[in-house]
Amino acid sequence: MGEDLGKVKKQIEELRDKIRYHNHLYYVLDNPEISDYKYDNLMNQLIDLEAKHQELITPDSPTRRVGAQPIAAFGTITHTIPMLSLNNSYSIEELRTFDLRVRRSLSLDEVQYISELKIDGLAVSLIYEGGQFVRGATRGDGFVGEDVTHNLRTIRSIPLRLSGEFSHLDLEVRGEVYMSLKDFQRLNEEKVSVGEEPFANPRNAAAGSLRQLDPRITANRRLNIFLYGIAYVRGKEFSTHWEELEFLRKAGFVVNPESKLSSDIKDVISFCEHWGDMRDRLPYEIDGIVVKVDSLVQQERLGFTAKGPRWAIAYKFPPKQVKTRVKDIIIQVGRTGALTPLALLEPVEVAGSIVSKATLHNEDYIKEKNIRIGDMVIIQKAGDIIPEVVKVLKDERQGNEDPFKMPDICPVCGGEVSRSDGEATKRCLNISCAARLKESLIHFASRDAMDIEGLGPATANQLIDAGLIHDAGDLYHLNEEMLLKLERMGDKSVENLLKAIEESKGRDFSRLLIGLGIRHVGKEGAQLLARHFKSIETLKSATFEELKKIHEIGDVIANSIVSFFKEERNLYLIQKLKEVGVKMGIEDSTELSTKELPFEDKVFVLTGKLETLTRGEAQKRIEELGGKVSSNVSKKTDFVVVGEEPGLKYDRALELGVTILKEPKFLELLDKPIEKKAVRLSFSTLLE
DNA sequence: GCACCTCGAGTTCA
DNA sequence: CTCGAGGTGC
């Protein structure tokens, strides 16, 4: 009996190896001779055997790719190293500027670049522990993504287990999940044949497939992946990006074969131009070229900005352009009173979606492009998302097109409109303008502000039109009876909305500040103010001079804050909010969200005298940012901050190889929110 | 006074 | 995502 089992085990192992080899040929070597039929055949044999001998099923068996049950919802995964996005460039000229900046910063005449095709899919991160694929996540906002492990397992080009010398490794790699044009067409034909809406483009199809709760659906969608980067490989060091790509290939991942190493920007540019012409011949869609500095040492020296690495840039191909007609131009009034002209267009399809509107920004923009109502225009999607009018086809004018004139009064309230010096926008000055109130309310409830779920533009409109509320303060006096009268408001939505409103009372102080809508005070500014003033009372009584003392706050912002608190209407609103129990200050130290805690769980030791801060202040700042200060250097210490005349702790830090921060660098980390993300990055790398 | 970098505000569609 | 404007540092 035992012998039989051994035999079956061997048989199963053989089948698994054959299937893996098949996958390798199909995906890695892209061999067209490989048939799906043979794959299915092998898989079926394996499934049968495993069904009979369930004790022999291992987590890396190819059958496990499809075995998972549907899940109820996606979990989230915090990336150990953030998945930052890249700066974009839309012209060859910008590539040259990029090159100049890189070489100037490095003080080098020559820099090696790697150019890679930019696959139009969605970025994911794959985590392996002990050579096993254990978790995978989408990019999300770069810091926290969705756990899509169950769906990634169905992608046959993702090895469930690394083989040979890699079989024990812990690593995290980054790649782009995409759907080939062939599979995209096949999928859409299928969808249409069963009466469903087809996907607009392969990227949407890939994204939609990866976000399926049921992995069996994903498995049928034939997703694919190219790996292009390494977050870390425990115990391994690389010196160039090219080496990283080589490693990925050897470890069994699929790396795009078209990457190219160049020793000057001219070569990079011709690579971009070449693929700009040839992109249609590829079996998958690309939307540009990613250019990276090859040397990792140089990458580190260049560092990051808030937007992304300074050592890489994405060259985007010119977007698809489409012709349509401007049916009309209307005016929208924003919460700050800004009058924004909006072109209503004859609906057309552009890059996978139907476009019927495009912003015209302001009157100068219209004048400069000479846009008239009735004109035929060329439109495109900037960054593949936001429609914009590129130019007017003047040759096609019939003579009956109307020039557009910005109104001299507010189209909503009829109030006075003005355009102050140097400003591009005209604004309605009436602080009680219905449009402004409405927009302010929407802003108050929005995600970055008080985050009241269920209170979007539509509901806000209903509430105001029904006369139920006049400002944000009234929200907190709504009750069931009032809401049930509204259209499309059932028991459930009323209950949810009231609950959401109630919950918003306890939102962080900074969110309230965003919600109030003080001009020039957004997310960052509000957090800055909340940290400095701690309560609405202290902020209200702050003088222009006090405000200006704060780093990042200049004349304009200080002025705007002071005048906000002089306005009767605003004081009244604050009063009302306070009365109903909305939180008006920082009450405890938990207010800083994880995003602002770049020093979380990091242990600092201070030694020597600092020039700009006292010990106490430095300690306070570190703790505010989530770090701990300890008095002795040990293996657990992450950073030693060194001032003038450092003591023995400095020697001990050198001994233990703890990272040493001199004062200027330390201050930079404390002060510059931008650098914080980069700090997180180096933390994680240091942990390895 | 200029160059550079951030942030705020407005925006579209599925 | 982009534009414009604010703030800072050279």
Side-chain angles (χ1 to χ4, degrees):
Chain A
M1 202 55 194
E3 217 173 280
D4 276 357
L5 200 62
K7 222 166 132 190
V8 175
K9 202 170 168 185
K10 208 173 146 214
Q11 210 179 338
I12 286 183
E13 269 312 317
E14 270 175 25
L15 275 169
R16 287 178 186 163
D17 281 341
K18 275 188 191 164
I19 291 168
R20 286 185 193 121
Y21 180 62
H22 180 283
N23 274 339
H24 181 76
L25 289 178
Y26 190 91
Y27 287 104
V28 185
L29 305 179
D30 202 17
N31 186 335
E33 304 287 303
I34 299 301
S35 72
D36 283 344
Y37 173 74
K38 195 174 156 205
Y39 177 88
D40 292 343
N41 197 358
L42 290 168
M43 273 296 266
N44 286 333
Q45 284 182 44
L46 182 59
I47 289 169
D48 286 348
L49 273 177
E50 286 188 350
K52 275 185 229 149
H53 302 274
Q54 302 213 348
E55 70 278 12
L56 296 178
I57 298 177
T58 57
D60 62 12
S61 169
T63 57
R64 295 304 94 192
R65 291 187 187 279
V66 284
Q69 289 301 306
I71 53 168
F74 293 103
T76 57
I77 286 185
T78 305
H79 301 300
T80 46
I81 298 178
M83 296 180 76
L84 298 173
S85 50
L86 297 176
N87 285 308
N88 289 325
S89 66
Y90 296 94
S91 67
I92 296 296
E93 203 39 52
E94 285 176 80
L95 283 179
R96 291 212 175 86
T97 317
F98 167 74
D99 171 53
L100 282 178
R101 183 151 44 201
V102 165
R103 285 187 294 129
R104 203 181 55 204
S105 312
L106 295 172
S107 319
L108 288 173
D109 289 337
E110 203 181 293
V111 171
Q112 294 268 328
Y113 292 109
I114 288 197
S115 311
E116 299 167 56
L117 302 188
K118 189 171 185 302
I119 313 296
D120 199 8
L122 64 158
V124 295
S125 192
L126 310 178
I127 299 170
Y128 286 75
E129 284 169 11
Q132 295 267 4
F133 173 57
V134 290
R135 270 191 310 282
T138 59
R139 194 183 91 88
D141 66 359
F143 294 91
V144 178
E146 273 178 332
D147 184 344
V148 287
T149 313
H150 63 299
N151 284 333
L152 288 169
R153 291 179 76 89
T154 71
I155 301 180
R156 281 152 56 184
S157 45
I158 293 180
L160 297 180
R161 188 188 68 193
L162 304 176
S163 54
E165 56 172 311
F166 307 103
S167 62
H168 60 285
L169 284 180
D170 294 337
L171 52 85
E172 181 171 347
V173 292
R174 304 276 159 88
E176 191 86 0
V177 170
Y178 67 97
M179 187 180 284
S180 76
L181 289 168
K182 209 172 72 186
D183 289 326
F184 168 68
Q185 273 159 17
R186 190 187 62 119
L187 174 61
N188 268 356
E189 277 162 23
E190 247 168 53
K191 289 202 94 174
V192 171
S193 74
V194 295
E196 285 179 44
E197 272 295 298
F199 282 110
N201 53 53
R203 189 192 38 211
N204 284 358
S209 305
L210 203 59
R211 296 198 73 263
Q212 288 293 326
L213 292 170
D214 185 348
R216 285 167 296 193
I217 299 180
T218 314
N220 279 323
R221 296 285 176 83
R222 295 291 165 104
L223 293 175
N224 217 328
I225 188 169
F226 281 124
L227 279 296
Y228 57 72
I230 291 175
Y232 63 83
V233 181
R234 199 182 297 276
K236 265 206 184 352
E237 293 287 331
F238 302 94
S239 60
T240 63
H241 184 54
W242 191 256
E243 275 178 19
E244 293 184 330
L245 295 180
E246 295 270 271
F247 169 84
L248 286 171
R249 266 191 203 109
K250 271 197 280 176
F253 294 105
V254 190
V255 175
N256 190 282
E258 311 297 348
S259 308
K260 187 174 182 229
L261 200 55
S262 305
S263 48
D264 61 29
I265 200 71
K266 257 173 66 185
D267 203 41
V268 170
I269 290 169
S270 52
F271 184 88
C272 292
E273 285 169 341
H274 171 77
W275 284 107
D277 294 339
M278 306 296 275
R279 57 194 286 206
D280 291 341
R281 303 217 188 156
L282 289 164
Y284 42 82
E285 286 201 336
I286 59 172
D287 59 346
I289 303 292
V290 177
V291 182
K292 296 174 187 161
V293 169
D294 188 34
S295 153
L296 301 189
V297 175
Q298 290 172 7
Q299 287 187 2
E300 204 164 309
R301 276 174 61 199
L302 289 162
F304 295 82
T305 69
K307 278 203 72 185
R310 269 191 268 263
W311 42 263
I313 192 166
Y315 168 75
K316 294 272 205 152
F317 295 135
K320 292 234 166 69
Q321 300 193 330
V322 177
K323 196 168 102 169
T324 188
R325 185 180 300 281
V326 176
K327 287 198 299 191
D328 199 1
I329 296 177
I330 61 166
I331 297 289
Q332 301 188 125
V333 182
R335 107 189 124 80
T336 62
L339 304 194
T340 315
L342 183 73
L344 299 185
L345 308 166
E346 203 71 62
V348 272
E349 201 205 296
V350 195
S353 63
I354 308 286
V355 171
S356 58
K357 294 180 235 178
T359 179
L360 299 176
H361 304 294
N362 53 57
E363 57 181 321
D364 291 350
Y365 186 90
I366 297 177
K367 204 178 286 171
E368 190 197 308
K369 304 231 158 167
N370 192 357
I371 300 167
R372 299 180 186 175
I373 297 168
D375 268 339
M376 290 304 289
V377 290
I378 296 289
I379 62 169
Q380 68 180 20
K381 284 211 228 159
D384 259 0
I385 312 258
I386 316 271
E388 70 178 2
V389 174
V390 183
K391 65 171 181 192
V392 172
L393 297 170
K394 298 199 181 94
D395 295 346
E396 301 198 19
R397 280 201 176 143
Q398 312 286 318
N400 55 357
E401 293 79 8
D402 288 331
F404 178 76
K405 193 171 162 298
M406 283 293 278
D408 295 319
I409 55 165
C410 170
V412 175
C413 69
E416 193 188 342
V417 160
S418 102
R419 183 175 168 176
S420 43
D421 298 335
E423 262 221 331
T425 36
K426 267 191 177 176
R427 289 177 198 279
C428 165
L429 300 178
N430 176 11
I431 190 167
S432 311
C433 169
R436 293 187 60 176
L437 293 180
K438 201 175 272 184
E439 295 297 323
S440 304
L441 183 72
I442 296 168
H443 174 74
F444 183 85
S446 68
R447 208 157 46 114
D448 284 346
M450 298 295 267
D451 194 17
I452 305 179
E453 216 177 306
L455 185 54
T459 318
N461 273 327
Q462 273 186 297
L463 291 171
I464 292 176
D465 293 344
L468 291 177
I469 60 175
H470 300 94
D471 63 24
D474 296 335
L475 278 177
Y476 299 92
H477 296 296
L478 289 171
N479 59 39
E480 265 183 55
E481 199 190 336
M482 293 157 94
L483 290 174
L484 280 170
K485 281 189 218 141
L486 298 175
E487 264 180 60
R488 276 187 291 139
M489 269 287 186
D491 287 347
K492 194 69 196 167
S493 19
V494 167
E495 189 192 320
N496 288 341
L497 180 57
L498 288 174
K499 203 171 126 220
I501 292 173
E502 186 59 30
E503 273 170 13
S504 74
K505 288 182 183 171
R507 293 271 186 265
D508 286 357
F509 180 41
S510 67
R511 284 174 168 276
L512 173 72
L513 289 179
I514 299 175
L516 290 176
I518 306 169
R519 279 259 267 148
H520 301 120
V521 176
K523 214 172 166 175
E524 303 295 324
Q527 283 171 3
L528 205 61
L529 292 174
R531 272 204 296 272
H532 270 87
F533 293 97
K534 309 264 195 299
S535 81
I536 199 90
E537 292 305 328
T538 21
L539 179 60
K540 193 158 74 180
S541 49
T543 63
F544 180 82
E545 285 73 25
E546 282 171 318
L547 286 162
K548 265 211 68 169
K549 270 193 214 139
I550 301 171
H551 196 70
E552 312 276 81
I553 294 193
D555 289 355
V556 180
I557 299 182
N559 219 334
S560 155
I561 295 167
V562 171
S563 41
F564 179 88
F565 286 107
K566 276 197 194 134
E567 195 71 54
E568 199 56 45
R569 166 170 217 111
N570 297 330
L571 295 175
Y572 177 60
L573 173 62
I574 291 168
Q575 183 57 35
K576 269 167 91 175
L577 291 170
K578 192 186 282 177
E579 276 165 14
V580 296
V582 172
K583 196 159 86 171
M584 294 272 165
I586 293 182
E587 284 156 18
D588 51 51
S589 56
T590 59
E591 295 250 323
L592 297 165
S593 70
T594 34
K595 257 197 180 163
E596 301 169 74
L597 294 175
F599 289 179
E600 196 167 20
D601 295 331
K602 295 294 173 282
V603 181
F604 285 73
V605 171
L606 305 169
T607 180
K609 215 176 96 197
L610 298 173
E611 274 179 33
T612 45
L613 293 170
T614 67
R615 279 287 178 96
E617 282 165 355
Q619 176 158 2
K620 215 178 114 205
R621 294 283 291 132
I622 290 170
E623 282 166 359
E624 270 171 15
L625 296 171
K628 289 196 200 85
V629 176
S630 116
S631 50
N632 289 313
V633 182
S634 73
K635 269 196 290 186
K636 284 190 187 150
T637 312
D638 295 289
F639 291 94
V640 172
V641 179
V642 178
E644 294 294 348
E645 299 167 19
L648 285 172
K649 291 178 206 163
Y650 178 60
D651 299 333
R652 181 137 172 80
L654 286 175
E655 209 178 289
L656 290 172
V658 178
T659 309
I660 289 166
L661 292 173
K662 298 234 174 78
E663 187 169 355
K665 188 73 193 165
F666 173 61
L667 293 175
E668 204 181 311
L669 297 186
L670 287 180
D671 261 342
K672 278 202 183 161
I674 341 145
E675 296 290 335
K676 285 177 192 160
K677 289 166 192 165
V679 175
R680 277 177 92 93
L681 221 161
S682 46
F683 281 151
S684 329
T685 349
L686 285 163
L687 290 177
E688 295 316 314

